[in-house]
Amino acid sequence: MTEGVPRYTAREAIALVTSGFTELPGPTSPVPTNPADASDSSDPTRKFGPDGPLSWQGYDASRARAAARTGEEESVVCGTATIGGTATVLISFEFGFLGGSLGERTGDRLEAAYGHAREHRLPVVSLVATGGSRMQEGMRALVQLQRVARQSTLTREAGLPQIAVLRDPTTGGGWATLGAGADVVLALPGAQVGFAGSRVRPPDADPAAYTAEAQLAAGAVDAVVPPAELPELLGLWLHLLSHPSAEPVPPPSALADTDLPATGWEAVGNARSSQRPRATAYLDAYLARRAAISGDRCGGTDDGMLCGFGVLKDDDRTVAYAAQTGTATLPAGYRTAARLIRLADRLRIPVLTLVDTPGAANDAEAERQGAGAAIADVFGAVAAARTPVTTLLIGEGGSGGALALAAPDNTWATPDSYFSVIAPELAAAILKRPPEEVRATADQLRIRPQDLVDLGVVRGIVEPPKSRP
């Protein structure tokens, strides 16, 4: 156990997030012998022999001791509950039962829980605490990961959200399926999280790398949440992800009462002003409540790209948002935005993007991290989205690094913004013009908000809530 980190039982973990829980009945039919037929658990050919499929000496006795010690029949407890007003299927691991390991009977229960979720159109919340696959069942246990992955995929295709809460410890196949495969991944502070458990890591491995906090920094976890805050946040997430809408959201109103710029260079100055409202101010004004996702699931994060879901102040609808904050966007930021847009698309939740960047990060490290591929990923996510996407240009629109987030035919601009094929300074340099011609170049590029309307690049210019007379 990680020192000082509480290790909750399955029932204690359930009690952390809900006061009402109804356990689902355990499956009565054995699972099929052939893992390829795992979706059909009515096959009567597979029998549980003495000491399991490997006849592992003492396995039945170990199971009996685990049951007596924990009061559970298996390593997972599955049922239904209401969390924050949203009905859900709840899966909780019992680490005291053979280390929360996944065996064939575990697979039975998980398959039944996912099936119940799809049948009743319920989201799935998994409270994970596992050491991985059950050695005493050998490969028959390991292939349960394929079975779980299939159930997760079917649930994803049904348009139902999946949320994981990582407890101590979450390792092995449980982390690589139920945990990391969820749409939103939350973790308790200090929890041991990693594919490799503590007994199978290299002897010189840094234990700090296998923590919830390290996984958050690496982009694999969305938030580390203290137990006392978990019920409220989990309830918010369930509300946000369970309210689809087919209607596009309107662009936010402008927050600054700024005149339209007379020149291109004035437009650049307005957009680069330190006094201009940024993405956080727009999100605060537009959304009543919100919850953030974090990380690209590939090892990176970008504080300059804010992504998440929120509730509109005006009509209580859910909207997904991806917002640049005025910095050069990192490859991890683009990948996180693409992840957000695809999740919103699958759940049929409209998207708002706020564009504000001088451009994509273009240093050597950004190239090593796949800047081009990451930008292409966002272009593709926006182009493929069936859910409506609305874009508001709130500051700098720097070339393709900004355009990747812009919705074709539904992009709007604030008066203190500009959009350009390239920054005026760089355009002048490419054209071998002297520095004193940068201002004239800005005019030639026609980058002002009103120019963008004339060019058909944006639909219109948004005004403050109370326009001046």
Side-chain angles (χ1 to χ4, degrees), residues 314-385:
D314 293 338
D315 59 10
D316 199 39
R317 278 194 296 160
T318 295
V319 59
Y321 62 86
Q324 294 167 314
T325 64
T327 59
T329 304
L330 304 177
Y334 290 114
R335 285 190 286 262
T336 304
R339 173 189 157 214
L340 180 282
I341 293 166
R342 290 193 177 101
L343 174 58
D345 188 44
R346 177 159 52 79
L347 299 178
R348 295 295 188 266
I349 293 172
V351 177
L352 170 71
T353 62
L354 300 180
V355 171
D356 184 12
T357 180
N362 59 5
D363 56 6
E365 183 59 26
E367 294 296 341
R368 282 191 287 267
Q369 293 175 4
I375 296 170
D377 199 25
V378 178
F379 270 116
V382 172

Side-chain angles (χ1 to χ4, degrees), residues 72-356:
E72 307 296 348
E73 297 178 354
E74 246 305 330
S75 58
V76 290
V77 177
C78 304
T80 57
T82 299
I83 301 175
T86 302
T88 183
V89 165
L90 189 57
I91 297 168
S92 187
F93 278 72
E94 176 52 69
F95 190 77
F97 194 104
L98 302 180
S101 56
L102 282 78
E104 289 188 295
R105 288 186 175 93
T106 320
D108 290 348
R109 289 171 177 246
L110 293 174
E111 183 177 78
Y114 273 104
H116 186 88
R118 292 193 298 275
E119 180 182 357
H120 297 277
R121 303 293 304 168
L122 299 176
V124 177
V125 173
S126 300
L127 310 176
V128 188
T130 174
S133 299
R134 193 167 297 170
M135 292 182 301
Q136 297 93 328
E137 296 185 18
M139 283 301 298
R140 293 287 288 271
L142 189 64
V143 296
Q144 298 307 305
L145 303 182
Q146 295 172 321
R147 191 178 180 193
V148 172
R150 174 170 171 75
Q151 292 303 312
S152 178
T153 298
L154 291 173
T155 304
R156 185 175 297 113
E157 290 174 349
L160 299 171
Q162 299 172 68
I163 302 174
V165 178
L166 312 182
R167 296 151 48 204
D168 185 59
T170 298
T171 61
W175 164 228
T177 51
L178 286 160
D183 299 318
V184 175
V185 182
L186 310 176
L188 297 182
Q192 180 187 167
V193 180
F195 186 64
S198 59
R199 297 183 182 180
V200 297
R201 299 170 192 157
D204 59 347
D206 179 7
Y210 301 85
T211 63
E213 289 75 9
Q215 297 290 354
L216 175 65
V221 165
D222 291 301
V224 174
V225 187
E229 299 175 14
L230 185 59
E232 181 178 359
L233 182 58
L234 195 53
L236 174 58
W237 267 119
L238 287 166
H239 175 83
L240 292 172
L241 300 183
S242 301
H243 286 75
S245 173
E247 297 298 320
V249 296
S253 301
L255 294 183
D257 198 3
T258 304
D259 290 321
L260 289 174
T263 66
W265 190 245
E266 184 182 339
V268 172
N270 289 343
R272 293 178 180 174
S273 170
S274 61
Q275 304 303 312
R276 173 181 57 79
R278 305 287 164 151
T280 299
Y282 276 93
L283 294 175
D284 286 344
Y286 195 62
L287 302 174
R289 296 179 296 162
R290 66 179 189 268
I293 67 168
S294 177
D296 62 0
R297 299 300 187 258
C298 299
T301 61
D302 181 3
D303 292 338
M305 179 72 80
L306 306 179
C307 293
F309 293 78
V311 177
L312 293 177
K313 285 187 175 180
D314 293 338
D315 59 10
D316 199 39
R317 278 194 296 160
T318 295
V319 59
Y321 62 86
Q324 294 167 314
T325 64
T327 59
T329 304
L330 304 177
Y334 290 114
R335 285 190 286 262
T336 304
R339 173 189 157 214
L340 180 282
I341 293 166
R342 290 193 177 101
L343 174 58
D345 188 44
R346 177 159 52 79
L347 299 178
R348 295 295 188 266
I349 293 172
V351 177
L352 170 71
T353 62
L354 300 180
V355 171
D356 184 12

